[in-house]
Amino acid sequence: MELFDTATVLARVLTSGVVMSIEKSDRELPALERLLTKRTGRAKAVLLNSRTGALHAALAGQGIGHGDTVALAGPDEATTAFLAWLGVTVEGQAPAAFDLVSLTPENAGRLDELTAEATAPALVVDLSGLGFGPAAAVLTDDERLWARAERLKIFGAYDLRTMWTQQEADEDLVPGVQFNYRLSPLVAGCVRMALTHAARPAAASSGAR
């Protein structure tokens, strides 16, 4: 993405007056969620401010936590180490608890292709490689998985519904601990622009044929 495009996104977000991720009127986060669900064919998206946050949410969404064992297809050292920190042991490769795709400027235009064969309940898309800071998403078709993952975040969708009333929207989803995993609208806006631009050459070439 060109510097001009980045400046345009930053100016749009800053002049909107909504620069904090706890604002109900924010439009950047929902827009990125819509783009990711459309590109991956998943029904729900949870946006997070780090890859590790997304890994945590993908597991917590399935009720997986300390003392549990999961299967993963070829996890890298960093993933295995973080899961060990969570107290989760990796054994075997299938059925995988989640699929993981890491995006860069070079492969961002192939998001649809890269996620087409993902079959795990949760799809983790690491957006950090796009160059706008730590960012990731968990995509799923499972409503309950989405709800649990979203509830893991401080000021996630559930907190925004009830933060002024001090009431729980769904007591069954209350986690033992919440984490500051919520993504910044500034980062979300830049990531969305990068993904939109990355998809354009592929669309243009397919139209030419």
Side-chain angles (χ1 to χ4, degrees), residues 144-189:
R144 195 65 174 173
L145 191 159
W146 169 83
R148 286 175 173 172
E150 187 67 40
R151 193 65 180 85
L152 187 67
K153 298 186 296 183
I154 294 176
F155 299 126
Y158 283 88
D159 283 352
L160 290 181
R161 296 175 189 173
T162 61
M163 63 186 296
W164 306 118
T165 64
Q166 299 298 307
Q167 297 177 347
E168 290 294 347
D170 189 337
E171 294 184 357
D172 292 337
L173 291 176
V174 179
V177 178
Q178 285 181 287
F179 295 80
N180 186 19
Y181 284 155
R182 190 163 168 82
L183 186 64
S184 159
L186 287 170
V187 175

Short mmCIF file of all heavy atoms in Angstrom, two decimals, residues 144-189:
data_model
loop_
_atom_site.label_atom_id
_atom_site.label_comp_id
_atom_site.label_asym_id
_atom_site.label_seq_id
_atom_site.Cartn_x
_atom_site.Cartn_y
_atom_site.Cartn_z
N ARG A 144 -21.16 -20.24 18.81
CA ARG A 144 -20.72 -20.32 20.20
C ARG A 144 -19.22 -20.07 20.31
O ARG A 144 -18.75 -19.42 21.25
CB ARG A 144 -21.07 -21.69 20.77
CG ARG A 144 -20.99 -21.77 22.29
CD ARG A 144 -22.01 -20.87 22.94
NE ARG A 144 -22.03 -21.03 24.39
CZ ARG A 144 -22.75 -20.27 25.20
NH1 ARG A 144 -23.49 -19.30 24.70
NH2 ARG A 144 -22.73 -20.47 26.50
N LEU A 145 -18.46 -20.61 19.37
CA LEU A 145 -17.02 -20.37 19.36
C LEU A 145 -16.74 -18.88 19.22
O LEU A 145 -15.91 -18.31 19.94
CB LEU A 145 -16.38 -21.15 18.21
CG LEU A 145 -14.85 -21.25 18.16
CD1 LEU A 145 -14.42 -22.44 17.30
CD2 LEU A 145 -14.17 -19.99 17.66
N TRP A 146 -17.46 -18.23 18.31
CA TRP A 146 -17.29 -16.78 18.12
C TRP A 146 -17.61 -16.03 19.41
O TRP A 146 -16.87 -15.13 19.81
CB TRP A 146 -18.22 -16.29 17.00
CG TRP A 146 -18.29 -14.80 16.94
CD1 TRP A 146 -17.41 -13.95 16.32
CD2 TRP A 146 -19.27 -13.96 17.57
NE1 TRP A 146 -17.79 -12.64 16.53
CE2 TRP A 146 -18.92 -12.62 17.29
CE3 TRP A 146 -20.40 -14.21 18.34
CZ2 TRP A 146 -19.67 -11.54 17.75
CZ3 TRP A 146 -21.14 -13.15 18.81
CH2 TRP A 146 -20.78 -11.82 18.51
N ALA A 147 -18.71 -16.39 20.05
CA ALA A 147 -19.13 -15.68 21.26
C ALA A 147 -18.10 -15.82 22.38
O ALA A 147 -17.76 -14.84 23.05
CB ALA A 147 -20.49 -16.21 21.72
N ARG A 148 -17.59 -17.01 22.57
CA ARG A 148 -16.58 -17.22 23.62
C ARG A 148 -15.29 -16.47 23.31
O ARG A 148 -14.68 -15.88 24.20
CB ARG A 148 -16.28 -18.72 23.76
CG ARG A 148 -17.37 -19.53 24.44
CD ARG A 148 -17.01 -20.99 24.41
NE ARG A 148 -17.92 -21.81 25.19
CZ ARG A 148 -17.91 -23.13 25.19
NH1 ARG A 148 -17.03 -23.78 24.43
NH2 ARG A 148 -18.77 -23.81 25.92
N ALA A 149 -14.88 -16.50 22.05
CA ALA A 149 -13.66 -15.80 21.65
C ALA A 149 -13.82 -14.30 21.81
O ALA A 149 -12.92 -13.61 22.29
CB ALA A 149 -13.30 -16.16 20.21
N GLU A 150 -14.96 -13.78 21.41
CA GLU A 150 -15.23 -12.35 21.53
C GLU A 150 -15.28 -11.93 23.00
O GLU A 150 -14.80 -10.85 23.37
CB GLU A 150 -16.55 -12.02 20.84
CG GLU A 150 -16.87 -10.54 20.74
CD GLU A 150 -15.93 -9.78 19.82
OE1 GLU A 150 -15.57 -10.33 18.75
OE2 GLU A 150 -15.54 -8.66 20.17
N ARG A 151 -15.82 -12.78 23.84
CA ARG A 151 -15.96 -12.46 25.26
C ARG A 151 -14.62 -12.47 25.98
O ARG A 151 -14.49 -11.89 27.06
CB ARG A 151 -16.91 -13.48 25.93
CG ARG A 151 -17.38 -13.06 27.31
CD ARG A 151 -18.23 -11.81 27.25
NE ARG A 151 -18.68 -11.39 28.57
CZ ARG A 151 -17.96 -10.64 29.40
NH1 ARG A 151 -16.76 -10.23 29.05
NH2 ARG A 151 -18.44 -10.29 30.58
N LEU A 152 -13.62 -13.10 25.37
CA LEU A 152 -12.29 -13.13 25.99
C LEU A 152 -11.66 -11.74 26.01
O LEU A 152 -10.80 -11.45 26.84
CB LEU A 152 -11.39 -14.09 25.21
CG LEU A 152 -10.01 -14.39 25.78
CD1 LEU A 152 -10.12 -15.17 27.09
CD2 LEU A 152 -9.18 -15.19 24.77
N LYS A 153 -12.10 -10.87 25.09
CA LYS A 153 -11.52 -9.53 24.98
C LYS A 153 -12.18 -8.55 25.94
O LYS A 153 -13.40 -8.51 26.05
CB LYS A 153 -11.70 -8.98 23.56
CG LYS A 153 -11.04 -9.78 22.47
CD LYS A 153 -11.15 -9.06 21.14
CE LYS A 153 -12.57 -8.91 20.67
NZ LYS A 153 -12.67 -8.28 19.34
N ILE A 154 -11.37 -7.74 26.61
CA ILE A 154 -11.91 -6.61 27.33
C ILE A 154 -12.46 -5.62 26.30
O ILE A 154 -11.81 -5.32 25.30
CB ILE A 154 -10.82 -5.92 28.18
CG1 ILE A 154 -10.36 -6.86 29.29
CG2 ILE A 154 -11.33 -4.61 28.76
CD1 ILE A 154 -9.21 -6.29 30.11
N PHE A 155 -13.67 -5.14 26.52
CA PHE A 155 -14.34 -4.24 25.59
C PHE A 155 -14.57 -4.90 24.23
O PHE A 155 -14.52 -4.24 23.19
CB PHE A 155 -13.58 -2.92 25.41
CG PHE A 155 -13.46 -2.14 26.68
CD1 PHE A 155 -12.22 -1.72 27.14
CD2 PHE A 155 -14.58 -1.85 27.43
CE1 PHE A 155 -12.10 -1.01 28.32
CE2 PHE A 155 -14.47 -1.14 28.62
CZ PHE A 155 -13.23 -0.72 29.06
N GLY A 156 -14.82 -6.20 24.25
CA GLY A 156 -15.26 -6.88 23.04
C GLY A 156 -16.74 -6.58 22.82
O GLY A 156 -17.33 -5.73 23.48
N ALA A 157 -17.35 -7.30 21.90
CA ALA A 157 -18.74 -7.02 21.54
C ALA A 157 -19.68 -7.09 22.74
O ALA A 157 -20.60 -6.29 22.86
CB ALA A 157 -19.19 -8.00 20.46
N TYR A 158 -19.43 -8.03 23.65
CA TYR A 158 -20.34 -8.18 24.79
C TYR A 158 -20.17 -7.05 25.79
O TYR A 158 -21.15 -6.53 26.33
CB TYR A 158 -20.11 -9.54 25.46
CG TYR A 158 -20.73 -10.65 24.68
CD1 TYR A 158 -20.03 -11.29 23.66
CD2 TYR A 158 -22.05 -11.04 24.90
CE1 TYR A 158 -20.60 -12.29 22.91
CE2 TYR A 158 -22.63 -12.04 24.15
CZ TYR A 158 -21.91 -12.66 23.15
OH TYR A 158 -22.49 -13.65 22.40
N ASP A 159 -18.94 -6.62 26.04
CA ASP A 159 -18.72 -5.52 26.97
C ASP A 159 -19.31 -4.22 26.44
O ASP A 159 -19.82 -3.40 27.20
CB ASP A 159 -17.22 -5.33 27.22
CG ASP A 159 -16.66 -6.39 28.17
OD1 ASP A 159 -17.47 -7.14 28.73
OD2 ASP A 159 -15.44 -6.45 28.33
N LEU A 160 -19.22 -4.00 25.13
CA LEU A 160 -19.75 -2.77 24.57
C LEU A 160 -21.26 -2.68 24.72
O LEU A 160 -21.83 -1.60 24.77
CB LEU A 160 -19.37 -2.66 23.09
CG LEU A 160 -17.88 -2.40 22.81
CD1 LEU A 160 -17.64 -2.29 21.31
CD2 LEU A 160 -17.40 -1.15 23.52
N ARG A 161 -21.92 -3.83 24.81
CA ARG A 161 -23.37 -3.82 25.00
C ARG A 161 -23.77 -3.42 26.41
O ARG A 161 -24.85 -2.88 26.64
CB ARG A 161 -23.94 -5.22 24.72
CG ARG A 161 -23.77 -5.70 23.29
CD ARG A 161 -24.26 -7.14 23.18
NE ARG A 161 -23.93 -7.73 21.90
CZ ARG A 161 -24.13 -9.01 21.60
NH1 ARG A 161 -24.68 -9.82 22.50
NH2 ARG A 161 -23.80 -9.48 20.42
N THR A 162 -22.89 -3.71 27.37
CA THR A 162 -23.30 -3.59 28.77
C THR A 162 -22.38 -2.71 29.61
O THR A 162 -22.57 -2.62 30.82
CB THR A 162 -23.34 -4.99 29.42
OG1 THR A 162 -22.03 -5.57 29.36
CG2 THR A 162 -24.32 -5.89 28.70
N MET A 163 -21.38 -2.06 28.99
CA MET A 163 -20.38 -1.35 29.79
C MET A 163 -20.98 -0.19 30.59
O MET A 163 -20.42 0.21 31.61
CB MET A 163 -19.24 -0.84 28.90
CG MET A 163 -19.65 0.17 27.85
SD MET A 163 -18.28 0.57 26.72
CE MET A 163 -17.12 1.33 27.86
N TRP A 164 -22.10 0.35 30.14
CA TRP A 164 -22.70 1.46 30.87
C TRP A 164 -23.73 1.00 31.89
O TRP A 164 -24.15 1.77 32.75
CB TRP A 164 -23.37 2.43 29.88
CG TRP A 164 -22.43 2.89 28.81
CD1 TRP A 164 -22.55 2.69 27.47
CD2 TRP A 164 -21.21 3.61 28.98
NE1 TRP A 164 -21.49 3.23 26.79
CE2 TRP A 164 -20.65 3.81 27.69
CE3 TRP A 164 -20.52 4.11 30.09
CZ2 TRP A 164 -19.44 4.48 27.49
CZ3 TRP A 164 -19.32 4.78 29.88
CH2 TRP A 164 -18.80 4.96 28.61
N THR A 165 -24.15 -0.26 31.82
CA THR A 165 -25.17 -0.76 32.75
C THR A 165 -24.58 -1.65 33.84
O THR A 165 -25.26 -1.98 34.81
CB THR A 165 -26.23 -1.57 31.99
OG1 THR A 165 -25.61 -2.73 31.42
CG2 THR A 165 -26.86 -0.74 30.89
N GLN A 166 -23.31 -2.07 33.65
CA GLN A 166 -22.65 -2.95 34.61
C GLN A 166 -23.39 -4.28 34.77
O GLN A 166 -23.43 -4.86 35.84
CB GLN A 166 -22.52 -2.26 35.98
CG GLN A 166 -21.69 -1.00 35.95
CD GLN A 166 -20.25 -1.27 35.53
OE1 GLN A 166 -19.59 -2.11 36.11
NE2 GLN A 166 -19.77 -0.56 34.53
N GLN A 167 -24.00 -4.75 33.69
CA GLN A 167 -24.70 -6.03 33.70
C GLN A 167 -24.06 -6.95 32.67
O GLN A 167 -23.47 -6.49 31.69
CB GLN A 167 -26.18 -5.83 33.37
CG GLN A 167 -26.93 -5.00 34.40
CD GLN A 167 -28.38 -4.77 33.99
OE1 GLN A 167 -28.75 -5.01 32.84
NE2 GLN A 167 -29.18 -4.30 34.92
N GLU A 168 -24.20 -8.25 32.90
CA GLU A 168 -23.65 -9.22 31.96
C GLU A 168 -24.68 -9.55 30.89
O GLU A 168 -25.84 -9.82 31.19
CB GLU A 168 -23.26 -10.51 32.69
CG GLU A 168 -22.05 -10.35 33.59
CD GLU A 168 -20.77 -10.07 32.82
OE1 GLU A 168 -20.77 -10.24 31.58
OE2 GLU A 168 -19.79 -9.65 33.45
N ALA A 169 -24.24 -9.51 29.63
CA ALA A 169 -25.14 -9.85 28.53
C ALA A 169 -25.41 -11.35 28.48
O ALA A 169 -26.48 -11.79 28.08
CB ALA A 169 -24.54 -9.38 27.20
N ASP A 170 -24.42 -12.14 28.89
CA ASP A 170 -24.56 -13.59 28.88
C ASP A 170 -23.65 -14.16 29.96
O ASP A 170 -22.45 -14.29 29.76
CB ASP A 170 -24.18 -14.15 27.50
CG ASP A 170 -24.52 -15.63 27.36
OD1 ASP A 170 -24.63 -16.31 28.40
OD2 ASP A 170 -24.66 -16.10 26.22
N GLU A 171 -24.22 -14.48 31.10
CA GLU A 171 -23.42 -14.93 32.23
C GLU A 171 -22.68 -16.23 31.95
O GLU A 171 -21.65 -16.51 32.55
CB GLU A 171 -24.31 -15.09 33.46
CG GLU A 171 -24.88 -13.76 33.97
CD GLU A 171 -25.66 -13.92 35.25
OE1 GLU A 171 -25.81 -15.08 35.70
OE2 GLU A 171 -26.12 -12.91 35.79
N ASP A 172 -23.19 -17.04 31.03
CA ASP A 172 -22.53 -18.31 30.70
C ASP A 172 -21.21 -18.09 29.97
O ASP A 172 -20.39 -19.00 29.88
CB ASP A 172 -23.44 -19.18 29.83
CG ASP A 172 -24.66 -19.67 30.59
OD1 ASP A 172 -24.59 -19.72 31.83
OD2 ASP A 172 -25.67 -19.99 29.94
N LEU A 173 -21.00 -16.88 29.43
CA LEU A 173 -19.79 -16.61 28.66
C LEU A 173 -18.73 -15.87 29.46
O LEU A 173 -17.68 -15.54 28.92
CB LEU A 173 -20.14 -15.77 27.42
CG LEU A 173 -20.95 -16.47 26.34
CD1 LEU A 173 -21.30 -15.48 25.23
CD2 LEU A 173 -20.18 -17.64 25.76
N VAL A 174 -18.98 -15.59 30.72
CA VAL A 174 -18.03 -14.81 31.51
C VAL A 174 -16.76 -15.62 31.73
O VAL A 174 -16.79 -16.68 32.35
CB VAL A 174 -18.64 -14.42 32.87
CG1 VAL A 174 -17.62 -13.62 33.68
CG2 VAL A 174 -19.89 -13.60 32.67
N PRO A 175 -15.61 -15.15 31.23
CA PRO A 175 -14.35 -15.89 31.41
C PRO A 175 -13.75 -15.62 32.78
O PRO A 175 -14.13 -14.66 33.47
CB PRO A 175 -13.46 -15.32 30.31
CG PRO A 175 -13.95 -13.90 30.18
CD PRO A 175 -15.44 -13.94 30.45
N GLY A 176 -12.80 -16.46 33.19
CA GLY A 176 -12.12 -16.21 34.45
C GLY A 176 -11.31 -14.94 34.39
O GLY A 176 -11.24 -14.18 35.35
N VAL A 177 -10.68 -14.69 33.24
CA VAL A 177 -9.86 -13.50 33.04
C VAL A 177 -10.11 -12.99 31.63
O VAL A 177 -10.26 -13.78 30.70
CB VAL A 177 -8.35 -13.81 33.20
CG1 VAL A 177 -7.52 -12.57 32.94
CG2 VAL A 177 -8.06 -14.36 34.59
N GLN A 178 -10.18 -11.67 31.48
CA GLN A 178 -10.26 -11.07 30.15
C GLN A 178 -8.91 -10.43 29.81
O GLN A 178 -8.13 -10.10 30.69
CB GLN A 178 -11.36 -10.01 30.08
CG GLN A 178 -12.76 -10.59 30.03
CD GLN A 178 -13.80 -9.49 29.94
OE1 GLN A 178 -14.06 -8.79 30.91
NE2 GLN A 178 -14.39 -9.34 28.77
N PHE A 179 -8.68 -10.25 28.51
CA PHE A 179 -7.39 -9.73 28.05
C PHE A 179 -7.59 -8.52 27.15
O PHE A 179 -8.60 -8.41 26.46
CB PHE A 179 -6.63 -10.83 27.29
CG PHE A 179 -6.25 -12.00 28.15
CD1 PHE A 179 -7.17 -12.99 28.45
CD2 PHE A 179 -4.97 -12.09 28.67
CE1 PHE A 179 -6.83 -14.07 29.25
CE2 PHE A 179 -4.61 -13.17 29.47
CZ PHE A 179 -5.55 -14.16 29.76
N ASN A 180 -6.60 -7.65 27.15
CA ASN A 180 -6.66 -6.45 26.31
C ASN A 180 -6.25 -6.82 24.88
O ASN A 180 -5.18 -6.43 24.40
CB ASN A 180 -5.74 -5.36 26.87
CG ASN A 180 -5.88 -4.06 26.11
OD1 ASN A 180 -6.86 -3.83 25.41
ND2 ASN A 180 -4.89 -3.19 26.25
N TYR A 181 -7.11 -7.56 24.22
CA TYR A 181 -6.82 -8.07 22.88
C TYR A 181 -7.53 -7.26 21.79
O TYR A 181 -7.44 -7.62 20.62
CB TYR A 181 -7.30 -9.52 22.76
CG TYR A 181 -6.42 -10.56 23.43
CD1 TYR A 181 -6.97 -11.78 23.84
CD2 TYR A 181 -5.06 -10.36 23.63
CE1 TYR A 181 -6.18 -12.76 24.43
CE2 TYR A 181 -4.27 -11.33 24.22
CZ TYR A 181 -4.83 -12.53 24.62
OH TYR A 181 -4.05 -13.50 25.20
N ARG A 182 -8.24 -6.21 22.14
CA ARG A 182 -9.05 -5.52 21.15
C ARG A 182 -8.18 -4.72 20.18
O ARG A 182 -7.28 -3.99 20.58
CB ARG A 182 -10.05 -4.59 21.84
CG ARG A 182 -11.10 -4.02 20.89
CD ARG A 182 -12.28 -3.46 21.67
NE ARG A 182 -13.16 -2.67 20.83
CZ ARG A 182 -14.09 -3.17 20.04
NH1 ARG A 182 -14.26 -4.47 19.97
NH2 ARG A 182 -14.86 -2.38 19.31
N LEU A 183 -8.48 -4.85 18.90
CA LEU A 183 -7.69 -4.22 17.84
C LEU A 183 -8.02 -2.73 17.71
O LEU A 183 -9.17 -2.32 17.87
CB LEU A 183 -7.97 -4.92 16.51
CG LEU A 183 -7.14 -4.49 15.30
CD1 LEU A 183 -5.67 -4.82 15.51
CD2 LEU A 183 -7.66 -5.17 14.04
N SER A 184 -7.02 -1.94 17.39
CA SER A 184 -7.21 -0.50 17.20
C SER A 184 -7.91 -0.22 15.87
O SER A 184 -7.59 -0.85 14.85
CB SER A 184 -5.84 0.20 17.20
OG SER A 184 -5.91 1.46 16.56
N PRO A 185 -8.84 0.74 15.84
CA PRO A 185 -9.47 1.13 14.57
C PRO A 185 -8.45 1.63 13.55
O PRO A 185 -8.64 1.44 12.34
CB PRO A 185 -10.43 2.25 14.98
CG PRO A 185 -10.74 1.97 16.41
CD PRO A 185 -9.47 1.43 16.99
N LEU A 186 -7.38 2.27 14.00
CA LEU A 186 -6.35 2.76 13.08
C LEU A 186 -5.70 1.59 12.34
O LEU A 186 -5.53 1.63 11.12
CB LEU A 186 -5.29 3.55 13.85
CG LEU A 186 -5.69 4.93 14.35
CD1 LEU A 186 -4.63 5.47 15.29
CD2 LEU A 186 -5.91 5.88 13.19
N VAL A 187 -5.34 0.56 13.09
CA VAL A 187 -4.72 -0.61 12.46
C VAL A 187 -5.73 -1.32 11.58
O VAL A 187 -5.41 -1.75 10.46
CB VAL A 187 -4.17 -1.57 13.54
CG1 VAL A 187 -3.62 -2.84 12.89
CG2 VAL A 187 -3.08 -0.89 14.35
N ALA A 188 -6.96 -1.44 12.05
CA ALA A 188 -8.00 -2.12 11.27
C ALA A 188 -8.22 -1.42 9.93
O ALA A 188 -8.36 -2.07 8.89
CB ALA A 188 -9.30 -2.16 12.06
N GLY A 189 -8.24 -0.10 9.94
CA GLY A 189 -8.44 0.65 8.70
C GLY A 189 -7.31 0.43 7.71
O GLY A 189 -7.54 0.26 6.51
#
